């Protein structure tokens, strides 16, 4: 509080500089000495600018081709620019800044998280990945699926024109990795949402109702967990038709047991606490108590599990598409690009190598964020 | 102790029943009649008819379920569609290969993981600790099949370009034995097998080893803070004895329970790694069966994998009781 | 007369943590003769455990014994000894038992193994010999059926029995000094008395020097020959048990005595020293006790008093200006009540 008041007082003296700073995003933050926020905004603004300048012809192409990709990229570009300038502007003009940090659990967790350097690095990595994925059509001049001239563009080694080389069909590997990221990242996100929702509900019910419900549900969970996950997935997907839809649903339906276990454990310890007792004394129904009192309290561990689960799901999905049981070629996904390069592994090592590196970086990013979140939200579990 | 083991064995029975049931449900939840998926050019109508009869698809669902149960429990896993021989016979050839690979990996996982975890805990906050933590994070985030490919690329192919590279460190890219295996003498055969085992077991085990190291480090750090470690030091024991006798056994307790979690993970990895290294195990059999739409074989391998996991969990629990006297004497 | 059995001079043990230096022990001196019991009293957090651990050089980093401190075992300088030498001292010449019998024994090794281990280490005893001696030690500690109990695990022992097993372990090699860090605090009263009797008896029989730490004056009065009173990492008063208990001279000792329940004194009169020990990261200026002292005046806030005297020593400015001893604890306790 004091700090915020002091900031408000010395504001008029620097009024002019601050107003000028409004034009350059991040400058206002930098002037205030908030280096990290300032530099991030500045970088964001520079990236959008650079994309605009270097890929202006492709931005223009947005309006001629009817492809959704381009529109997504354009919206992302506008969004990124808006965020960079908007935040910078608000800071510079001293608008209602969210400076007077409340001491809520989340504010504390966020402060804890932002102190953790590697975790923040993971966050930046992840944001960059998502941004790159969305901007894909502007970041590469090639199309992911267009087969090149077999005679001249087949198996070119990495160069400036083809950052990650070309594959056996003469397609640019960098472009395919970029587009493949969409599949991996979005499958991960959707599947995790499904499994976390399911796991939370099952775990909360199991922990809250106890007795028979608990026994039955937990036996079920034990059984699921003791199945080798990939084997189960392979079996189910093979019986149905492999497609992006099957994969998402099946991944979502098979990953919930671990969340359920975590939530159940939390609920069991919460159940005895006063506010739940009190709610029960007030005669609230079980479902209502679960929704209003228990779920908000188990959110922390669940978020941690979800973030770590995201990395895991990306690995599993890569394995499935490596076996050809996920997205079908020619649509690129990291797993099927690696599989595609396997045949000519020795002659064109780059085809299989780079998508693998992309997987590693992505999963590392999610694991860093997950570990950081765990330290911030759930200090008991600190490793 | 004996009662404990018997109790655990009894608990495994409903789990196995559940797994059989789950496989049953999956088959029946698949779109259409379970035989519909066998109707394809390679399979004659007589086979389909045979299947209908075998599976008793005309009978009510609960009768089907019971007979399904009986055939699985009596070890009658049916006949492979593509190989035209009993699945039991096929698996009998493949299971040992998978066990060799997983066993080697498991050894690697725990030996390396535990050793690194101890070193990190003892040298907490040192540069070595940080480097190992970071390395573990990367290895832990690596897909096993990709690591396998990279190992093949470098240690099986690229090293042939280096003249000075020792021949023992040029590893075979696939299979369990060399082409001239049958002509070798006893020791050479063993050497050849070990040589083929190196890359796949590394690819399969490294991620888990990294994760074991992580757990071992935190478990060891937790134990080192305990009062009894101070007692051990106050007795005048050497640091070596304090760590390897007094701390290690306690720190291993939670790691042993992890065994039960790693086995399913390991088998999942085995499917991919066997595929990459053309290792003739169950995982490879399963993948091939999927490509050839040999569903009875897919079902059987799924079931066997799950059974192995149940057995492994059982062993982990018994091991836990062996190392922790508090459970043993309950 | 030669060198005392154990002499500690100006012991200072600091923890160099990321957010400051914790001066847990900041100038402690005492000596111990064979067959003598030295009691160390002081409130929780005043540095008793850290001082004891320092004698065996068992502080975990970032804890460190500061240069200038001296710990002499007869005429050997322990602060200068190599780690190897220290190991042959620990459990052999100086033994230590701890506050928490429940957690001080390793849960995954048998009692017998843990006792025999000391003998194997220091006496190079063969397994059978070590086992025989371990059983003998258990019997000496008053544990029935020692042969059977050797093969049991700590969780099969009760708290009092575990402390006996700890004692058996500590005394197996006939140490000349035993440091007992609040050995009875975690036990209930009857068992506490048993262990105290056992300790007194053993000391008489074995003739070792005993350093007995406690925050319970009643216990110290029972067992100690001489007493040092610690406050905020320093010795504030020392003397024979009689002197300290009959005629305490430091205001802190006075306060402590008043805080101890005694037969014949009504509960209402029982007073506690108001306030609590400051943080060892930032000791008060001057006399460290002055914020809680009923007599404190300007000088106490500015200058740290020196420890005056030899066998009977007091660290207080009242020693120089006795006239200022007026009002005192009754007034303070009253003020606290209001
Ligand atoms: N590892 C450590 N790091 C930092 N400070 C420590 C550490 N160990 C002890 N201290 C500090 O040293 C001071 C003395 O602790 P010590 O355990 O010696 O107290 P004590 O007199 O034995 O108390 P008790 O009666 O509770 O056992 C404490 O204030 C504590 O905060
Ligand atoms: Mg203590």
């Amino acid at each position: 509080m004091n700090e915020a008041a002091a900031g408000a007082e010395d504001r008029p003296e620097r009024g002019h500089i601050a107003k000028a700073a409004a034009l350059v995003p991040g400058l206002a933050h930098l002037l205030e000495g908030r280096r990290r926020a300032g530099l991030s905004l500045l970088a964001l603004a520079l990236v959008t600018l650079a994309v605009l300048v270097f890929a202006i012809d492709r931005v223009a192409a947005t309006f001629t081709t009817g492809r959704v990709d381009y529109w997504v990229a354009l919206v992302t570009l506008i969004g990124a620019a808006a965020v960079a300038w908007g935040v910078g502007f608000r800071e510079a003009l001293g608008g209602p800044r969210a400076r007077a940090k409340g001491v809520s659990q989340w504010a504390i967790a966020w402060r804890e998280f932002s102190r953790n350097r590697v975790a923040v690095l993971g966050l930046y990595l992840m944001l960059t990945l998502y941004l790159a994925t969305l901007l894909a059509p502007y970041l590469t001049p090639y199309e992911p699926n267009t087969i090149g001239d077999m005679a001249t563009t087949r198996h070119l080694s990495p160069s400036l024109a083809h950052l990650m080389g070309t594959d056996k069909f003469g397609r640019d590997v960098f472009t395919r990795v970029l587009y493949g990221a969409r599949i991996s990242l979005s499958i991960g996100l959707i599947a995790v949402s499904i499994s976390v929702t399911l796991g939370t509900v099952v775990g909360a019910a199991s922990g809250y109702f106890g007795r028979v419900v608990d026994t039955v549900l937990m036996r079920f969970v034990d059984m699921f967990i003791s199945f080798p996950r990939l084997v189960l997935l392979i079996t189910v997907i093979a019986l149905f038709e492999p497609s992006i839809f099957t994969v998402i649903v099946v991944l979502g339906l098979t990953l919930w047991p671990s969340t359920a276990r975590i939530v159940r454990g939390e609920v069991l310890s919460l159940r005895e606490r006063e506010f739940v007792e009190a709610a029960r004394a007030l005669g609230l129904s079980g479902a209502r108590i679960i929704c209003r009192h228990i779920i908000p309290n188990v959110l922390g561990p669940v978020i941690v599990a979800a973030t770590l689960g995201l990395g895991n799901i990306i690995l599993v999905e890569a394995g499935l598409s490596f076996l050809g049981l996920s997205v079908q070629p020619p649509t690129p996904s990291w797993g099927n690009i690696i599989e595609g390069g396997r045949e000519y592994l020795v002659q064109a090592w780059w085809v299989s190598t780079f998508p693998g590196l992309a997987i590693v970086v992505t999963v590392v990013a999610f694991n860093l964020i997950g570990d950081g979140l765990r330290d911030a939200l759930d200090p008991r579990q600190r490793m | 102790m004996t009662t404990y083991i018997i109790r655990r064995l009894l608990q495994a029975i409903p789990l196995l029943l559940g797994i059989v049931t789950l496989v049953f449900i999956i088959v029946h939840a698949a779109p259409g009649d379970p035989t519909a998926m066998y109707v394809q050019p390679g399979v004659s109508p007589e086979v389909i008819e045979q299947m209908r009869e075998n599976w008793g698809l005309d009978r009510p669902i609960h009768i089907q379920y019971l007979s399904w149960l009986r055939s699985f429990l009596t070890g009658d896993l049916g006949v492979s569609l593509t190989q035209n021989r009993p699945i039991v016979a096929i698996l009998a050839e493949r299971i040992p290969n998978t066990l060799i690979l997983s066993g080697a990996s498991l050894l690697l996982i725990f030996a390396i993981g535990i050793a690194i975890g101890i070193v990190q805990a003892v040298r907490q906050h040192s540069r070595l600790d940080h480097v190992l933590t970071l390395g573990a994070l990367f290895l832990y985030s690596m897909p096993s099949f990709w690591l396998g490919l990279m190992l093949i690329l470098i240690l099986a192919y690229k090293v042939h370009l280096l003249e000075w590279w020792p021949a023992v460190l040029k590893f075979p890219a696939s299979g369990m034995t060399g082409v001239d295996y049958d002509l070798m003498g006893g020791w050479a055969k063993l050497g050849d097998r070990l040589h083929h085992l190196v890359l796949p077991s590394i690819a399969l085990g490294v991620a888990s080893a990294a994760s074991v190291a992580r757990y071992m480090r935190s478990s060891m750090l937790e134990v080192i803070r305990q009062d009894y470690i101070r007692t051990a030091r106050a007795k005048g024991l050497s640091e070596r004895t304090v760590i390897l006798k007094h701390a290690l056994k306690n720190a291993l307790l939670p790691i042993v329970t992890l065994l039960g979690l790693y086995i399913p993970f390991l088998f999942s990895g085995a499917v991919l790694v066997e595929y990459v290294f053309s290792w003739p195990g169950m995982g490879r059999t399963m993948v091939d069966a999927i490509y050839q739409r040999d569903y009875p074989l897919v079902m059987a391998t799924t079931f066997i994998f799950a059974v192995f996991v149940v057995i492994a969990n059982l062993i982990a629990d018994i091991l836990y009781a062996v190392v922790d006297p508090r459970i043993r004497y309950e | 007369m030669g060198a005392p059995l154990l002499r500690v001079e100006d012991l200072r043990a600091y923890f160099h943590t990321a957010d400051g230096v914790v001066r847990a022990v900041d100038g402690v001196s005492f000596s111990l003769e064979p067959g003598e019991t030295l009691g160390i009293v002081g409130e929780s957090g005043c540095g008793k455990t850290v001082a004891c651990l320092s004698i065996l050089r068992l502080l975990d980093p970032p804890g460190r014994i500061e240069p200038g401190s001296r710990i002499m075992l007869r005429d050997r300088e322990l602060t200068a000894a190599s780690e190897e030498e220290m190991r042959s001292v620990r459990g052999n010449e100086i033994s230590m038992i701890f506050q928490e019998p429940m957690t001080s024994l390793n849960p995954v090794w048998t009692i017998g193994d843990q006792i025999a281990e000391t003998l194997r280490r220091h006496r190079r005893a063969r397994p059978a010999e070590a086992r025989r001696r371990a059983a003998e030690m258990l019997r000496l500690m008053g544990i029935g059926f020692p042969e059977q109990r050797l093969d049991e695990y700590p969780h099969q022992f009760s708290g009092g029995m575990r402390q006996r097993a700890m004692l058996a372990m500590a005394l197996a090699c006939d140490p000349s000094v035993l440091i007992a860090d609040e050995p009875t605090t975690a036990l209930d009263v009857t068992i506490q008395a048993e262990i105290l009797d056992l300790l007194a008896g053993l000391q008489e029989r074995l003739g070792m020097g005993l350093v007995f730490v406690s925050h319970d004056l009643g216990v110290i009065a029972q067992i100690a020959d001489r007493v040092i009173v610690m406050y905020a990492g320093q010795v504030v008063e020392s003397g024979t048990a009689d002197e300290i208990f009959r005629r305490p001279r430091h205001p802190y000792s006075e306060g402590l005595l008043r805080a101890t329940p005694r037969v014949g004194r009504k509960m209402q009169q029982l007073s506690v020293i108001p306030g609590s020990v400051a943080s060892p990261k930032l000791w008060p200026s001057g006399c460290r006790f002055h914020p809680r002292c009923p007599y404190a005046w300007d000088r106490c806030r500015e200058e740290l008093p020196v420890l005056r005297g030899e066998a009977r020593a007091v660290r207080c400015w009242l020693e120089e200006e006795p006239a200022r001893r007026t009002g005192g604890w009754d007034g303070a306790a009253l003020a606290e009540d209001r």
Side-chain angles (χ1 to χ4, degrees), chain C residues 199-215:
Chain C
L199 255 178
L202 285 170
Q203 190 197 14
E204 201 160 296
R205 191 154 9 148
L206 306 172
M208 68 205 168
L210 174 62
V211 176
F212 191 98
V213 175
S214 181
H215 57 248

Side-chain angles (χ1 to χ4, degrees), chain C residues 49 99 181-182:
Chain C
T49 300
Q99 191 164 345
D181 182 13
E182 312 204 34

Side-chain angles (χ1 to χ4, degrees), chain C residues 54-88:
Chain C
S54 308
I55 295 172
L56 280 177
R57 296 218 341 232
L58 278 177
L59 285 184
D60 289 321
R64 204 176 76 189
I65 299 176
E66 297 300 305
S69 313
R70 295 185 70 190
I71 300 166
M72 308 283 293
L73 180 65
R74 294 201 185 81
D75 41 18
R76 243 190 310 160
E77 172 79 66
L78 294 189
T79 41
S82 69
E83 184 54 28
E84 189 54 43
E85 278 174 84
M86 272 320 290
R87 262 186 244 131
S88 68

Side-chain angles (χ1 to χ4, degrees), chain C residues 310-324:
Chain C
E310 284 287 306
R312 177 89 176 110
V314 183
R315 187 193 288 274
C316 184
W317 292 127
L318 280 176
E319 296 295 301
E320 287 186 3
E321 300 178 48
R324 288 190 180 263

Side-chain angles (χ1 to χ4, degrees), chain C:
Chain C
M1 211 175 91
L5 178 54
L6 177 71
R7 201 171 84 229
V8 173
E9 265 176 40
D10 194 27
L11 175 65
R12 280 172 296 123
Y14 296 173
F15 292 90
H16 300 262
T17 64
D19 34 36
V21 178
V22 178
R23 292 180 289 166
V25 174
D26 205 9
V28 166
S29 307
F30 61 81
S31 67
L32 183 74
E33 300 294 339
E36 185 188 34
T37 301
L38 174 77
I40 301 183
V41 276
E43 279 168 294
S44 192
C46 70
K48 306 179 298 281
T49 300
V50 173
C52 294
L53 289 173
S54 308
I55 295 172
L56 280 177
R57 296 218 341 232
L58 278 177
L59 285 184
D60 289 321
R64 204 176 76 189
I65 299 176
E66 297 300 305
S69 313
R70 295 185 70 190
I71 300 166
M72 308 283 293
L73 180 65
R74 294 201 185 81
D75 41 18
R76 243 190 310 160
E77 172 79 66
L78 294 189
T79 41
S82 69
E83 184 54 28
E84 189 54 43
E85 278 174 84
M86 272 320 290
R87 262 186 244 131
S88 68
V89 169
R90 293 180 196 137
N92 189 23
E93 293 176 77
I94 306 180
S95 283
M96 184 160 174
I97 58 175
F98 302 97
Q99 191 164 345
E100 280 296 335
M102 306 310 272
T103 54
S104 293
L105 287 163
N106 194 326
V108 298
W109 297 98
T110 60
I111 298 286
D113 187 90
Q114 293 185 58
I115 299 175
E117 190 177 31
T118 324
L119 292 157
R120 306 267 302 274
R121 162 77 179 84
H122 295 295
R123 294 279 178 274
R124 307 245 162 267
R126 289 171 191 289
E129 164 66 16
R131 190 181 158 84
R132 203 185 48 70
R133 174 103 173 111
E136 195 181 304
M137 287 309 296
L138 280 188
R139 186 174 307 114
L140 201 62
M141 298 306 134
I143 290 181
F145 306 104
E147 294 289 344
Q148 281 101 297
R149 309 231 75 174
L150 280 182
D151 295 322
E152 294 186 0
Y153 288 89
H155 73 275
Q156 293 163 287
F157 276 47
S158 69
M161 300 250 283
R162 287 191 211 184
Q163 202 55 292
R164 285 166 198 263
M166 280 293 290
L167 261 175
M169 222 162 76
L171 299 181
C173 294
D174 278 324
S176 40
V177 177
L178 174 66
I179 301 172
D181 182 13
E182 312 204 34
T184 58
T185 309
L187 306 174
D188 46 14
V189 190
T190 46
I191 297 171
Q192 189 171 334
E194 281 174 33
I195 298 277
L196 282 180
D197 284 346
L198 178 66
L199 255 178
L202 285 170
Q203 190 197 14
E204 201 160 296
R205 191 154 9 148
L206 306 172
M208 68 205 168
L210 174 62
V211 176
F212 191 98
V213 175
S214 181
H215 57 248
D216 184 343
L217 283 176
V219 171
I220 294 281
Q222 250 181 64
I223 199 166
D225 303 317
R226 281 189 310 115
V227 175
I228 63 176
V229 181
M230 280 184 69
Y231 184 80
Q234 298 179 323
V235 176
V236 292
E237 182 166 5
S238 68
T240 64
D242 238 29
E243 287 166 339
I244 300 275
F245 286 105
R246 285 184 198 283
R247 211 166 297 130
R249 300 223 309 249
H250 195 282
Y252 176 64
S253 323
E254 262 177 39
L256 267 187
L257 274 171
R258 294 175 51 89
T260 310
R262 237 179 285 165
V263 190
R265 205 199 234 180
K266 286 202 197 103
M267 225 25 217
Q268 294 98 303
Q269 284 170 289
L270 194 68
S271 60
V272 188
I273 305 179
S276 55
V277 193
S279 151
K281 254 177 247 166
L282 201 70
W283 293 126
S285 63
C287 173
R288 291 180 183 175
F289 187 58
H290 85 252
R292 302 169 73 189
C293 180
Y295 310 106
W297 67 97
D298 304 345
R299 186 177 190 185
C300 304
R301 285 182 258 281
E302 283 145 24
E303 273 179 87
L304 177 67
V306 286
L307 191 67
R308 292 167 163 271
E310 284 287 306
R312 177 89 176 110
V314 183
R315 187 193 288 274
C316 184
W317 292 127
L318 280 176
E319 296 295 301
E320 287 186 3
E321 300 178 48
R324 288 190 180 263
R325 195 185 283 269
T326 53
W329 282 112
D330 291 323
L334 235 72
E336 187 71 5
D337 284 347
R338 268 184 246 123

Side-chain angles (χ1 to χ4, degrees), chain A residues 227, chain B residues 18-27 68 72 299 302-303:
Chain A
F227 246 108
Chain B
I19 289 167
V20 179
T21 313
L22 192 65
V23 176
F24 180 81
I25 293 173
I26 292 171
V27 174
W68 166 274
F72 261 74
M299 291 291 130
T302 311
F303 176 70

